[in-house]
Amino acid sequence: AQTWKLDAEDWQPTNPYGTTGEAGTATTKVPVSVNLTGLKSWPNIPELARASGIGTYTTTFSLPSSWNNGKFGADLDLGQVTDTFTMKVNGTVVPIDQITGHVELGSFLKAGKNTLEVTVATTLNNRLFALDTAVAGRGVIQNYGLIGPVILTPYAQAVVWEVKK
């Protein structure tokens, strides 16, 4: 299984839950870092079981020295991602379909070590579940995060047929 580092912010109320006015909007963002062997939803990660916020997943992978962007491509499928997300490859923001989690990555990759970073923003449901009996009474815990499976499929490109003029 691929290893991932997850750096998250667990968004919690700074003041007691139910505080009104401006003080009721104050938020403390508690940093949480975990190393994962394989991906799973936040409720299945003890440090994030009732957390809500933002999490950045980072992993690295290598491509052979023969990798050449002109002849090779790569298809990336993030699998299940809940909720909204952004992605970087080797530090460059890569536009990715928010519905399918699918993108052609060939031009963003290089021979040797590559870094993939996916940042996921959650709803506040799971934090509210821990704080509010009305929310807990609904019995709905959301499976936040990058759940995957994340599949990178490199491929070679070749001219199969060419029309000569």
Side-chain angles (χ1 to χ4, degrees):
Q2 184 71 24
T3 58
W4 294 81
K5 181 175 185 201
L6 171 55
D7 291 314
E9 293 178 346
D10 177 11
W11 290 22
Q12 302 177 12
T14 301
N15 298 304
Y17 182 69
T19 300
T20 59
E22 189 175 329
T25 64
T27 304
T28 299
K29 298 172 183 174
V30 178
V32 177
S33 289
V34 292
N35 292 314
L36 303 171
T37 302
L39 295 167
K40 52 185 137 185
S41 66
W42 285 23
N44 295 316
I45 301 169
E47 298 88 345
L48 295 170
R50 294 293 180 263
S52 290
I54 295 175
T56 298
Y57 296 78
T58 306
T59 193
T60 59
F61 58 93
S62 292
L63 292 171
S65 60
S66 61
W67 183 266
N68 174 330
N69 287 342
K71 293 183 182 178
F72 297 98
D75 182 69
L76 178 75
D77 184 349
L78 291 179
Q80 183 180 349
V81 187
T82 307
D83 211 85
T84 59
F85 58 95
T86 60
M87 186 174 78
K88 291 182 183 177
V89 175
N90 298 321
T92 300
V93 174
V94 175
I96 184 167
D97 188 315
Q98 292 287 303
I99 304 298
T100 66
H102 185 266
V103 67
E104 167 53 47
L105 269 191
S107 63
F108 297 95
L109 300 175
K110 61 184 181 181
K113 181 179 170 184
N114 289 270
T115 301
L116 174 64
E117 183 179 294
V118 180
T119 300
V120 181
T122 73
T123 70
L124 292 175
N125 181 79
N126 293 0
R127 175 53 59 198
L128 287 172
F129 187 96
L131 296 171
D132 188 315
T133 56
V135 176
R138 292 192 316 236
V140 177
I141 296 291
Q142 291 181 321
N143 287 319
Y144 296 154
L146 177 59
I147 301 166
V150 175
I151 301 171
L152 178 69
T153 309
Y155 58 85
Q157 299 182 53
V159 175
V160 180
W161 182 65
E162 185 175 14
V163 176
K164 301 222 181 211
K165 294 183 179 187

